[in-house]
Structures are given as C-alpha cells and as structure tokens.
C-alpha cells in the first residue's frame, strides 16, 4: 500500500476528507453547487479552515439548497455577516446568493442542468492523471480555465481558474491523487 497524498497532512478531518471525498466523482447538482460555493469561500484561506466550518456553513446556508438561497436578500446577508461560524465576507456571501440564481438558470435552461454543464468540461468522464509527486500537480488546467470562463458567462462569481480547478479536482473531474496514493485507484475505479 502506498502513502496518501502529502497535502492532507495528519489532521484527522483533512485525512478523512482526502480518503473519502476528494477526487470522488460527484454528479449531484446540489452537492456540486455546495462544493463550488465552499471553494469560493476558501479563496485566500486554507481549505482546512473551510472544512472545520463546513457544518456551520451548511446550517447557515440552508444545506446549500440553491432553490432556497436564490430567494435571499439583504436581511439574510446581514444575518450571515453576523454568523461567527462561517467566513464573514460580504462579497462571498452575495456571490453565493447570485450563484444560486445562476444555478437555477442552468437547471432550467441547460440540457442536463448544472451537472451536465459542469461535467461537459471533461466530456462527462473523469480525467485520470498519473502524477508521481505533488510538484507535478498544476494549480490550473486548460479545461478548468475554460469552465471558469463559462461559469462567469453564466453569472457565477468567485469562480476563477484556480478555484475552479480545485473544485474540479475535489469533485473527481480530475483524478489528481498521486499514483502512489491508495485513493488514486479507488477513484479511478469509480469513473
């Protein structure tokens, strides 16, 4: 058995995330929406910070149900800015509300909805990478860059190329586990 990817360190929460979530192909529209929003909140912070606050985020954002969030306005923004359990950043909070509205438009107008819109960036199938060291794993990738542009055109915010590639890695669009990591083959088998 090989060693897991070194980026997760030894924090039990991070190790569990690495072993059971990161890189697993996700096709549920609501779960994809949640992950994209959380990656937006992560901008400028360490992912472990978001993981530690994820339950609070889920409670504050109605389980990341876009059909609920899209109705929110200034009263909800004010409430969220006072919630010490989450990252209190007005721009990111307002982006999440706007992203819910963009999500709904894609659900209604794009064949296959948000899930198909996202996964079409990789022709519907996870890209199986063969990295042997963390130094080989890119921060961005051409297909992720294109998806970032398409998301922005669809009205999404906090979805730059680095955020979108991290999202694509986490949701299994790219299997960027090192080939020496047991999770690499596990995620590949799910493709």
């Amino acid at each position: 058995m090989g060693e897991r990817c070194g980026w997760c360190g030894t924090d039990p929460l991070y190790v569990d995330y690495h072993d059971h979530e990161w890189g697993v192909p996700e096709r549920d529209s609501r779960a994809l929406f949640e992950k994209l929003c959380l990656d937006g909140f992560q901008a400028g912070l360490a992912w472990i910070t978001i993981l530690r606050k994820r339950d609070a985020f889920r409670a504050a954002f109605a389980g990341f149900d876009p059909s609920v969030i899209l109705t929110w306005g200034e009263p909800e923004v004010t409430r969220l800015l006072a919630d010490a359990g989450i990252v209190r950043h007005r721009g990111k909070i307002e982006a999440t509300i706007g992203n819910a509205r963009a999500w709904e438009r894609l659900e209604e107008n794009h064949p296959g909805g948000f899930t198909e819109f996202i996964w079409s960036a990789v022709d519907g199938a996870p890209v199986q990478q063969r990295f042997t060291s963390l130094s080989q794993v890119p921060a961005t990738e051409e297909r992720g860059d294109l998806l970032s542009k398409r998301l922005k055109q669809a009205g999404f915010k906090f979805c730059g190329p680095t955020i979108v590639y991290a999202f694509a890695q986490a949701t299994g669009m790219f299997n960027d586990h090192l080939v020496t990591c047991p999770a690499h083959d596990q995620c590949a088998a799910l493709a």
Side-chain angles (χ1 to χ4, degrees):
M1 179 170 142
E3 293 183 22
R4 69 176 48 92
C5 303
W7 57 259
C8 67
T10 59
D11 182 296
L13 181 63
Y14 223 172
V15 169
D16 184 67
Y17 173 73
H18 169 275
D19 291 355
H20 299 106
E21 291 183 58
W22 194 80
V24 174
E26 179 60 70
R27 295 183 186 273
D28 178 79
S29 183
R30 191 223 49 88
L32 288 167
F33 172 77
E34 174 182 332
K35 184 67 176 84
L36 184 62
C37 291
L38 288 175
D39 273 317
F41 273 100
Q42 185 263 327
L45 303 169
W47 179 246
I48 190 65
T49 301
I50 302 304
L51 276 182
R52 289 180 179 138
K53 294 177 175 279
R54 184 162 59 170
D55 288 341
F57 269 109
R58 286 173 172 163
F61 282 92
F64 283 96
D65 182 342
S67 63
V68 172
I69 296 170
L70 65 85
T71 67
W72 291 359
E74 189 57 35
E76 290 80 11
V77 172
T78 300
R79 172 183 60 82
L80 292 165
L81 286 170
D83 188 336
I86 67 168
V87 174
R88 297 177 287 181
H89 183 287
R90 177 177 284 277
K92 293 176 182 181
I93 291 168
E94 289 175 346
T96 300
I97 296 167
N99 289 352
R101 295 174 183 146
W103 174 90
E104 181 185 47
R105 287 190 299 273
L106 286 176
E107 283 292 302
E108 292 178 353
N109 301 316
H110 190 276
F114 185 63
T115 297
E116 171 59 29
F117 180 87
I118 293 296
W119 277 89
S120 66
V122 291
D123 296 326
V127 176
Q128 300 301 316
Q129 310 280 37
R130 305 286 304 161
F131 300 126
T132 57
S133 77
L134 290 177
S135 65
Q136 294 174 313
V137 181
T140 63
E141 197 270 353
E142 185 178 335
R143 288 163 286 195
D145 295 352
L146 181 57
L147 178 58
S148 170
K149 288 178 187 173
R150 290 178 59 226
L151 283 163
K152 289 176 185 176
Q153 290 169 348
F156 287 82
K157 304 276 191 243
F158 280 91
C159 58
T162 303
I163 289 171
V164 169
Y165 192 65
F167 160 80
Q169 291 170 306
T171 59
M173 296 170 65
F174 293 85
N175 184 355
D176 280 0
H177 285 284
L178 301 182
V179 294
T180 55
C181 175
H184 183 277
D185 290 345
Q186 292 167 358
C187 287
L190 297 172

